[in-house]
Amino acid sequence: MKKSFVIKRILYAVFIFFVVLTLNFFIPRIGIDDPAERYYPPQGGMSDIEYEIIKQITREQYGFHVSTWQQYLNYLEDLSQFNLGVSLRSGSPRVSALIGERLPWTLVLSVTTLIISLFIGVLIGTVAAWKRGRWQDTLLLNASTISVALPAFFIALMLSFYLGFELELFPAYTNPNMVAQFDWSWEAIRVVANNAALPVISMAIGGIVGYGQNTRNSVIAVTNEDFILTARAKGLKQNTILYKHTLRNAMLPIVTSLGMSISGLIGGAIIIEQIFNWSGMGTLFLEANSTGDYPLMMGIMLFLSTFAIIANLVTELFYVVLDPRVTVGEKR
Amino acid sequence: MKRKIALLSLVVVLAGCLTACGAGDYARRTDDTNTMYVGVVQASFPTAFMPWLSREGIAPTIASTVYNTLFSYDDETGNFDGIIGKDWYYVDADGEPILTDEGRIDYERLEAEFANRNHLAVKVILHDNVTWSDGTPLTASDVFYTYDLATNNYLSNHAGALAWTADLRHGYDQNTGARTRLGLFYYGNRHEHTYDIPEEDKDTVLYMHVNTVLGAVTSLFTTILIIPRHIWEPVVCRENQLNARDPSGELLDCYCNPIGSGPYTLDTERSGSSMIVLNRREDYHLTDDDGGPLYKVDTIKFMLYQELNVAIYALMKGHIDVLHSSISSNYIRLFDDREDIFVSNAEGVYVQTLVLNVNPIESERNPIRDLLGDVDFRRAIALAIDPDELIEQVANGAAYRTSAGLMRERMEDFYNPDANILAGDQEEKLEEANEILDGIVPEKDAQGYRLLDGQRISYDILGHPHEQELISFLQIQMQKIGIEVNYAAKGSQPENTFLYTSRFDMTIHGVIFSLANVDIMYNAHFVQLGRTSNYGRLQDDALRTGIREMRNTLNLHRKYELIIELQPVIAEQYYKIPLYTSNVISIARTDRYTGWQVVPGSTAYNSDSLQNVQRVGED
């Protein structure tokens, strides 16, 4: 791997991070010209002077009493100390603590979903490509059309109602005690697996079809390459051609989509988490949004953006390892 | 080898499936204790309970259950009902009550003697048997500390508390924390005042000075939750403000383990971000008529649901007893054949109105918008709206008509039927509306829309997406008088974007006027300019004078008279045109508890229900 390519990618990632950080500061401030009037509209028999005092106090509380430029500098200073600030919710918990509480639960869902989607998707896609034009292939194509037409939240609601509420095969929504009572015992892990079943299935359906479709197309493209023809001509076994030559070369687009999936891993699935009462990052963002908790919103956005930038950087670098031709576009 | 791997994979998958399979753990189904499961639809539950919680979501419900205010306000009678407070009255300079011979507040004397004074003195008498949940008696010292802290932002850092105590003539310098005015008097600071508080009354008597308006005591009595001095005084200081932005460990400990004087305590062991558990206090000072517990439920479990449909199904399947969130009237048919489900169709308190921009700022004026400044033009718009059809079509019948005076008919003593000037036959109203408009803007285009200087009269109605059905209905109604209206998205911060800046024609806005808030709300909706609810910037001398008199009079009877007199004046402005008042529809199961109470503006889970429910199978 070329060193200059790596340095350029890293510098580019740092630049993107700085742009994101700046946007993250300014966008939530659009429309919040005076937090005092938002949080404390006039009430009681307050005189204008009294209300002005209240407004001034509120501005100081939220750091709006200094210029926007100064607020931005304060924000950068806090970030340099890894301080994402405190939430506006009762008890003023630290944003980083709230993210820390929710992140593992989102990872439980998203990593499980990713593994299942990837494993089954690649398997189905390979079979469909290998059996091109036969019922396996037709099934995948039809499933793909249906999964595009049915949004994940609809699938989630249907699963919750039929498998959860009606048939009671799985919990219809997360047990409220699951997080509080989790203690790494087998029973606690079983409860988590039990409660995660429907959210994971809801999220995985789209992923399986997506990876399957990607794999199918990629495998078909590689199958038509000359070297596969040569391998066949050499009389290699079908399995050897499939696993050693076809799949290895078909991996590149799958790695790309995997990289994109990883960058979205911790964002959670807002609607899925909401339907199943799953206390993850998605619902945390929803809470912040619905209560106007902009320090929390900013913290989550920055955290998600940073993770996405790092994930993309790693994917790009990994891409180079898989296919050295990627650096061809770079200046020599 | 490959077969072994395949077999192992199969075993792992099967083990995973077996682990993941299994119905949820729905505790209510097997719970035979006196525990009520209450579903709440919101984004999250608080886990730290700063005593003066925000007013969003479940927080006020928990706060008012764990803590108490001095009194509660009865909107229908205008009286304060005792909670921590037992009695109260205005007093003269010697501390003598200003009462009539019948023991009621003598408003005539109050007006005669105190109208020109800079304050009113109020004596509050507390119940002598109130205790905190840790067993410590609640005394006047706690009430003093609470109000004193609320006025002292230097220690409380709570701007809301400053607003609640704005009418209390007691305060501190916000920068130094030095007291600037003394307006709270109890036995503990007797050396600073002349009120005579005998030793035997030292725990139960408190005096306060408030601004010379009758509404001054309302937020003091009914909004501020009294907090225990012995818990907070040792902790709260300049570095550890009550509402700290970055609370210390000991402060967080106080937040997470609230000690209150309310009927329930927080079960900190069993509560979390998805469930809040409250246990009834057996030593709560208020009891029912038989001396038994006032609240009939031993334990209340609030269960978090983030999605309304899921919560409704959870109730239908018996996972919860009651849903503490209102539901749309569209859902009612779901429960038609369900005898085990009680549907509470309670009268709402929010009046939906169509607000017209009658007086835009100069830069936002245009000829078509200026038409809204004409009261006759506004009357035509108001007449065109058919409230009965609106209720039937938009609210599915689960709403009721509201007078143009915007006061609810249920408030019999204060409702003025003369303000109901938009009642009548719709055909005749429509005819009258068209006659009015024919006199103002007679010209019409080929589609039948009226023209002003050749331009079609067209307005945007600002609304949220869920109000589109209502606005579509208004579109049809307005077509009948030749006025075009269209939906325009309100956005997330309409006040700053459109309303305060006069950049709108019409908007949908819910209003609540009650005896408890008319002092503030009439002013905010019809008088004050700038950043208030008077979005259309109405300015009417008669209304302004009447509202000022109503706010300032010390004669309660006159105040009530003025509230009645002001309703037709408000109605005749056709400024906030009433559309409907939605019912609050909620559901509860009847297989464990019966006796759910229907309370205006509330869901089936309410204080009255808690005081009246009975467990099925028990006498």
Side-chain angles (χ1 to χ4, degrees):
Chain A
M1 196 187 318
K2 280 193 173 182
K3 201 184 275 178
S4 63
F5 174 79
V6 174
I7 292 169
K8 266 186 189 171
R9 291 289 102 186
I10 291 172
L11 286 177
Y12 183 67
V14 171
F15 170 73
I16 294 289
F17 173 73
F18 192 75
V19 170
V20 165
L21 187 146
T22 306
L23 288 176
N24 192 44
F25 173 81
F26 284 104
I27 288 176
R29 276 165 172 73
I30 296 172
I32 307 179
D33 50 1
D34 194 341
E37 280 167 357
R38 180 169 174 186
Y39 292 109
Y40 294 108
Q43 50 188 297
M46 267 185 297
S47 68
D48 289 349
I49 296 169
E50 284 167 323
Y51 188 47
E52 272 309 314
I53 292 170
I54 287 174
K55 284 200 284 189
Q56 184 54 31
I57 291 163
T58 312
R59 285 184 202 115
E60 285 173 21
Q61 237 179 315
Y62 294 110
F64 277 78
H65 60 301
V66 293
S67 68
T68 308
W69 176 241
Q70 186 58 48
Q71 289 174 41
Y72 182 59
L73 291 180
N74 293 344
Y75 173 66
L76 291 182
E77 189 186 334
D78 286 346
L79 282 184
S80 69
Q81 296 159 11
F82 299 102
N83 180 5
L84 291 176
V86 289
S87 160
L88 300 183
R89 61 174 62 183
S90 183
S92 306
R94 293 204 160 276
V95 169
S96 50
L98 289 172
I99 292 174
E101 275 173 21
R102 298 294 186 91
L103 184 59
W105 295 105
T106 283
L107 288 175
V108 167
L109 280 195
S110 50
V111 172
T112 314
T113 303
L114 186 68
I115 292 169
I116 291 173
S117 308
L118 189 66
F119 182 74
I120 301 178
V122 169
L123 192 73
I124 290 176
T126 309
V127 171
W130 215 241
K131 309 279 182 185
R132 191 178 175 190
R134 292 162 75 173
W135 69 267
Q136 295 93 332
D137 190 25
T138 313
L139 188 69
L140 178 66
L141 287 172
N142 288 337
S144 175
T145 312
I146 292 169
S147 85
V148 169
L150 293 179
F153 77 84
F154 180 77
I155 294 172
L157 276 175
M158 291 301 107
L159 290 177
S160 174
F161 291 153
Y162 289 106
L163 300 185
F165 283 115
E166 294 297 335
L167 301 176
E168 300 202 355
L169 290 175
F170 300 99
Y173 50 87
T174 312
N175 182 338
N177 295 319
M178 185 189 79
V179 175
Q181 292 176 354
F182 186 75
D183 57 3
W184 289 105
S185 64
W186 281 113
E187 176 55 20
I189 292 170
R190 191 199 65 78
V191 170
V192 172
N194 183 222
N195 283 279
L198 285 186
V200 167
I201 295 171
S202 310
M203 288 160 72
I205 288 174
I208 289 170
V209 174
Y211 280 116
Q213 189 71 25
N214 261 353
T215 309
R216 175 196 175 272
N217 295 341
S218 187
V219 169
I220 288 173
V222 173
T223 312
N224 294 331
E225 294 281 341
D226 291 343
F227 66 90
I228 299 293
L229 207 61
T230 310
R232 284 187 204 280
K234 280 164 68 181
L236 292 180
K237 284 182 184 173
Q238 288 282 30
N239 280 354
T240 311
I241 296 171
L242 177 63
Y243 293 116
K244 281 199 172 172
H245 298 281
T246 311
L247 263 185
R248 183 172 291 179
N249 285 287
M251 283 306 284
L252 217 55
I254 299 162
V255 170
T256 311
S257 65
L258 181 66
M260 288 166 70
S261 304
I262 287 173
S263 66
L265 266 184
I266 59 169
I270 293 178
I271 304 295
I272 302 289
E273 287 189 2
Q274 187 190 15
I275 289 170
F276 292 106
N277 267 17
W278 190 269
S279 294
M281 292 289 286
T283 46
L284 186 65
F285 185 74
L286 205 67
E287 290 163 35
N289 188 42
S290 64
T291 55
D293 190 344
Y294 72 90
L296 183 54
M297 262 191 281
M298 284 166 62
I300 296 170
M301 287 306 291
L302 186 66
F303 186 75
L304 297 183
S305 312
T306 309
F307 188 83
I309 290 167
I310 293 170
N312 281 340
L313 178 67
V314 171
T315 310
E316 280 184 345
L317 300 180
F318 189 60
Y319 216 82
V320 179
V321 175
L322 280 180
D323 185 357
R325 290 171 300 176
V326 169
T327 55
V328 165
E330 297 292 313
K331 283 182 184 174
R332 291 173 192 277
Chain B
M1 184 63 184
K2 277 181 189 168
R3 280 188 183 171
K4 280 183 185 171
I5 292 171
L7 197 64
L8 191 68
S9 304
L10 194 67
V11 169
V12 168
V13 170
L14 280 176
C17 289
L18 286 174
T19 309
C21 262
D25 178 16
Y26 308 120
R28 176 191 173 275
R29 288 177 172 175
T30 51
D31 191 344
D32 56 3
T33 63
N34 184 5
T35 300
M36 183 182 282
Y37 290 77
V38 184
V40 180
V41 180
Q42 67 176 76
S44 71
F45 280 165
T47 50
F49 296 84
M50 202 285 284
W52 297 328
L53 293 167
S54 75
R55 285 166 289 177
E56 287 168 356
I58 192 75
T61 304
I62 301 296
S64 61
T65 316
V66 173
Y67 295 95
N68 274 334
T69 53
L70 284 182
F71 298 93
S72 65
Y73 192 78
D74 185 333
D75 223 9
E76 284 173 33
T77 62
N79 292 329
F80 291 100
D81 297 332
I83 303 178
I84 292 174
K86 185 176 162 190
D87 207 353
W88 74 281
Y89 29 76
Y90 295 106
V91 293
D92 61 20
D94 301 323
E96 292 302 314
I98 303 172
L99 297 175
T100 60
D101 293 340
E102 293 82 38
R104 295 183 179 161
I105 294 170
D106 188 343
Y107 286 104
E108 284 177 18
R109 199 181 136 206
L110 196 68
E111 188 182 27
E113 291 186 26
F114 295 90
N116 298 321
R117 303 269 182 91
N118 66 0
H119 71 263
L120 293 173
V122 177
K123 180 178 182 179
V124 177
I125 301 165
L126 310 180
H127 282 291
D128 59 4
N129 58 344
V130 189
T131 56
W132 296 104
S133 55
D134 63 357
T136 312
L138 186 154
T139 68
S141 168
D142 294 300
V143 181
F144 172 86
Y145 177 73
T146 301
Y147 287 156
D148 186 62
L149 187 61
T151 57
N152 187 357
N153 195 72
Y154 192 77
L155 293 182
S156 71
N157 190 36
H158 197 290
L162 277 185
W164 302 333
T165 52
D167 280 321
L168 182 63
R169 297 184 64 80
H170 181 88
Y172 285 83
D173 185 295
Q174 308 302 336
N175 298 314
T176 63
R179 196 174 69 206
T180 53
R181 187 157 58 181
L182 178 67
L184 286 167
F185 313 96
Y186 77 119
Y187 188 80
N189 68 350
R190 60 191 179 283
H191 57 282
E192 292 187 275
H193 61 86
T194 55
Y195 288 108
D196 179 30
I197 303 174
E199 172 96 24
E200 63 269 25
D201 292 340
K202 70 183 173 76
D203 290 338
T204 55
V205 170
L206 182 94
Y207 292 87
M208 54 181 85
H209 288 173
V210 298
N211 285 332
T212 320
V213 288
L214 290 180
V217 293
T218 309
S219 70
L220 290 172
F221 283 177
T222 63
T223 308
I224 301 175
L225 297 164
I226 306 302
I227 60 173
R229 185 172 191 164
H230 67 284
I231 298 291
W232 292 99
E233 195 170 46
V235 179
V236 172
C237 60
R238 179 62 178 168
E239 293 71 36
N240 242 356
Q241 293 168 307
L242 179 76
N243 183 28
R245 287 283 289 147
D246 195 3
S248 66
E250 56 183 346
L251 204 55
L252 263 178
D253 192 47
C254 293
Y255 288 168
C256 297
N257 300 284
I259 302 293
S261 60
Y264 286 85
T265 57
L266 180 76
D267 187 331
T268 51
E269 291 290 315
R270 293 193 286 169
S271 297
S273 58
S274 300
M275 183 167 77
I276 293 175
V277 183
L278 301 178
N279 296 322
R280 188 176 63 193
R281 287 181 58 196
E282 296 309 318
D283 57 347
Y284 187 57
H285 67 286
L286 297 178
T287 58
D288 65 11
D289 294 340
D290 303 330
L294 185 62
Y295 295 93
K296 308 302 179 199
V297 180
D298 289 345
T299 304
I300 305 169
K301 286 186 177 178
F302 293 97
M303 320 283 286
L304 176 73
Y305 293 90
Q306 293 169 348
E307 219 282 329
L308 180 63
N309 293 295
V310 174
I312 291 171
Y313 264 83
L315 183 126
M316 290 173 74
K317 291 289 174 185
H319 304 177
I320 48 176
D321 289 299
V322 57
L323 186 57
H324 185 32
S325 299
S326 62
I327 61 173
S328 158
S329 54
N330 295 330
Y331 287 104
I332 289 183
R333 284 187 181 175
L334 267 179
F335 318 112
D336 275 351
D337 303 324
R338 296 291 300 258
E339 286 180 2
D340 56 345
I341 291 179
F342 168 78
V343 178
S344 168
N345 199 341
E347 182 188 341
V349 291
Y350 256 105
V351 181
Q352 283 291 12
T353 64
L354 178 67
V355 183
L356 311 183
N357 191 357
V358 298
N359 177 29
I361 58 173
E362 196 56 40
S363 60
E364 296 299 331
R365 285 186 178 281
N366 61 54
I368 290 181
R369 196 173 275 170
D370 282 349
L371 281 173
L372 297 174
D374 182 341
V375 72
D376 290 331
F377 189 84
R378 301 203 296 265
R379 175 172 163 77
I381 289 175
L383 288 170
I385 299 167
D386 182 346
D388 292 329
E389 204 181 330
L390 191 154
I391 289 166
E392 199 52 45
Q393 291 194 13
V394 179
N396 296 309
Y400 61 95
R401 296 177 62 157
T402 311
S403 150
L406 303 177
M407 194 64 84
R408 288 181 295 132
E409 206 167 329
R410 187 185 175 90
M411 298 171 70
E412 289 166 9
D413 293 341
F414 309 100
Y415 170 72
N416 185 348
D418 294 342
N420 194 10
I421 56 177
L422 290 172
D425 179 69
Q426 189 56 31
E427 286 300 316
E428 288 172 16
K429 281 166 56 187
L430 208 55
E431 202 174 313
E432 187 186 346
N434 274 308
E435 273 174 26
I436 294 170
L437 292 180
D438 287 344
I440 303 171
V441 277
E443 204 185 339
K444 288 184 180 176
D445 64 13
Q447 281 79 41
Y449 287 108
R450 294 179 187 275
L451 301 171
L452 180 70
D453 300 331
Q455 195 182 348
R456 180 183 284 185
I457 297 175
S458 174
Y459 296 110
D460 283 342
I461 302 182
L462 281 182
H464 290 299
H466 67 266
E467 290 164 344
Q468 283 193 50
E469 195 183 348
L470 167 62
I471 294 173
S472 299
F473 176 83
L474 293 176
Q475 205 167 31
I476 296 165
Q477 304 282 294
M478 296 295 162
Q479 267 178 354
K480 294 177 184 171
I481 54 170
I483 291 175
E484 184 182 57
V485 295
N486 294 301
Y487 168 79
K490 225 174 193 176
S492 61
Q493 297 194 358
E495 283 82 6
N496 288 326
T497 323
F498 301 109
L499 303 174
Y500 293 155
T501 50
S502 263
R503 291 176 53 210
F504 74 102
D505 301 317
M506 303 177 184
T507 187
I508 307 292
H509 187 213
V511 300
I512 304 179
F513 292 127
S514 67
L515 285 183
N517 72 15
V518 283
D519 283 291
I520 304 151
M521 289 304 176
Y522 269 6
N523 203 41
H525 281 267
F526 303 115
V527 178
Q528 214 168 320
L529 290 180
R531 293 171 175 261
T532 68
S533 299
N534 189 6
Y535 301 131
R537 296 163 50 83
L538 181 76
Q539 291 291 279
D540 180 80
D541 287 339
L543 196 54
R544 187 192 296 122
T545 309
I547 289 172
R548 189 186 300 139
E549 190 186 345
M550 184 272 296
R551 277 161 58 87
N552 292 331
T553 182
L554 289 183
N555 185 326
L556 191 69
H557 308 300
R558 177 66 188 140
K559 189 182 185 79
Y560 289 167
E561 274 173 20
L562 280 163
I563 292 171
I564 292 168
E565 286 170 19
L566 281 169
Q567 288 170 52
V569 184
I570 290 167
E572 282 161 13
Q573 291 297 324
Y574 305 103
Y575 162 50
K576 298 204 170 186
I577 300 165
L579 299 173
Y580 62 90
T581 301
S582 265
N583 291 0
V584 177
I585 301 167
S586 61
I587 43 177
R589 291 186 68 88
T590 53
D591 52 349
R592 287 179 81 230
Y593 290 100
T594 56
W596 300 102
Q597 302 292 301
V598 179
V599 174
S602 296
T603 64
Y605 175 83
N606 56 59
S607 182
D608 286 10
S609 286
L610 279 180
Q611 292 177 34
N612 286 285
V613 288
Q614 288 175 321
R615 291 183 70 193
V616 171
E618 282 192 4
D619 292 332

